[in-house]
Amino acid sequence: MSRSAHPAGPRHADVLPEGHYSAPPADLNALDPKVWARTVGRDEHGVLTVGGIDVKQLAEEFGTPAYILDEADFRARARAWRTAFGSDADVFYAGKAFLSRAVVRWLHEEGLNLDVCSGGELATALSAGMPADRIAFHGNNKSPAEIERAVRAGVGRIVLDSFQEIVRVAHIAQSLGKRQRVQIRITVGVEAHTHEFIATAHEDQKFGIPLAGGQAAEAVRRALQLDGLEVIGIHSHIGSQIFDMSGFEVAAHRVVGLLREIRDEHGIELPEIDLGGGLGIAYTSDDDPREPHEIAKALTEIVTRECEAARLSTPRISVEPGRAIVGPTAFTLYEVGTVKPLEGLRTYVSVDGGMSDNIRTALYDAEYSVALASRSSDAEPMLCRVVGKHCESGDIVVRDAFLPGDLAPGDLIAVPATGAYCRSMASNYNHVLRPPVVAVDGGGARVIVRRETEEDLLRLDVG
Ligand code: LLP
């Protein structure tokens, strides 16, 4: 590997430009366990390893860029959620964060349920053997064909998202001679402290039925009258990448308030409430996520307290974590291409992927961290921006980070916490091929989603 000399980028705090960073970390080779998958470390040569395999070997065998997923970590996190909520609650993994057949099998084995929100996710879940009664079907605009497929398959619940959908699902279920278990998704009017595009409980957005103005109560009233539906509960999802539990507290308070109204009006106690997903993870060392057992304790206490106050028996709780399970379990491995120092600004480090494998930085201004992976280095920290190979200046993977000043073309770098919403939101922009997902476990590595090929691209191009 040649290390071409290049003028180093700016290094001293007093000359650093504006950005989202603090001072360079004391040791650039250190790996903060908050942001890295559990089995990640460095070997005696300083090479990053995961599940006992070094990344140079992974790059050689599977190429770059690649998402490298720590299977043991995924299973441990899934189990931690399952155990934390115990047998009186259900954990539905949100497949939108990342779904593949291997993931479905792991979830099945670890005793979790699955939330899907499209025909494609449903097909993946069913084809990998997830029992239909452990699947929840979500979405604000499920097509009649998708609804029919879900009802026929016997999904455990469909989460109804609008007045029209209440009628649509009831009609389809009835015409198939079935009674579909449903929850009604409401918006509780909470402003979750997260990026605007991923907040979902305020009223001015497309999801759910507003609690305000008695609309949610009216939705329940209508659903209860329809033979095709069995109303099992109320659903609320307030947003994503949330650290502050107070939004969930307000949501639980308002959902229980609706359960009380339903009891008073109809004389029934709905048996379930779902508080959605949305728990945040650490993308950088500045983030402090909560552990599943703390979250379970907090949510269970809130619901129990609210139900006692309303003199209701406590309903069965369910939650839908996606990011909190898969997010921290994977990193993206890239090869460094061009390294371009801009004097007085920063050094642009171009990698062999970009916004096609991680759109989150461009879309949400998300922050990530990065580490030199193919070796350790004692070189001075250099302020960098990790960018992709796309024809777009917003093609940024890591906006501001420090990497060693001797970084050179051919080095491997790794961006942690890319397990959620990276492969699942990947695109073919510029006809760049989507990277594989490689699962590492017990000293072995295997592809669970293969790299896209030019044949894959051309197969769709039938003109
Ligand atoms: N349940 C429902 C109804 C949801 O809509 C979502 C996420 C989840 C559960 C899972 O949320 P999580 O635990 O993963 O935060 N693409 C965005 C996130 C969008 C989330 C959409 N719904 C991102 O990359 O941050």
Side-chain angles (χ1 to χ4, degrees), residues 63-107:
T64 57
Y67 304 101
I68 312 292
L69 193 154
D70 181 343
E71 179 181 339
D73 192 17
F74 184 100
R75 286 179 179 271
R77 287 175 198 273
R79 216 174 301 138
W81 276 85
R82 182 82 209 87
T83 314
F85 279 88
S87 55
D88 294 335
D90 298 300
V91 181
F92 285 76
Y93 168 79
K96 65 206 83 184
F98 172 63
L99 197 64
S100 77
R101 291 204 273 200
V103 163
V104 175
R105 287 194 297 271
W106 301 340
L107 294 165

Side-chain angles (χ1 to χ4, degrees), residues 92 94 96-97 115 138 185 197-198 200 207 235-237 239-242 274 276-280 283 320-325 360 363-364 368 420-422 425:
F92 285 76
K96 65 206 83 184
D115 141 14
H138 267 284
R185 178 165 173 177
F197 293 175
I198 53 177
T200 52
F207 292 109
H235 185 286
S236 154
H237 170 74
S240 203
Q241 185 59 3
I242 297 167
D274 190 311
L279 283 312
Y283 284 101
E320 298 170 338
R323 186 192 322 262
I325 292 177
R360 299 194 67 261
L363 195 54
Y364 312 119
Y368 281 91
Y421 304 110
C422 287
M425 294 173 79

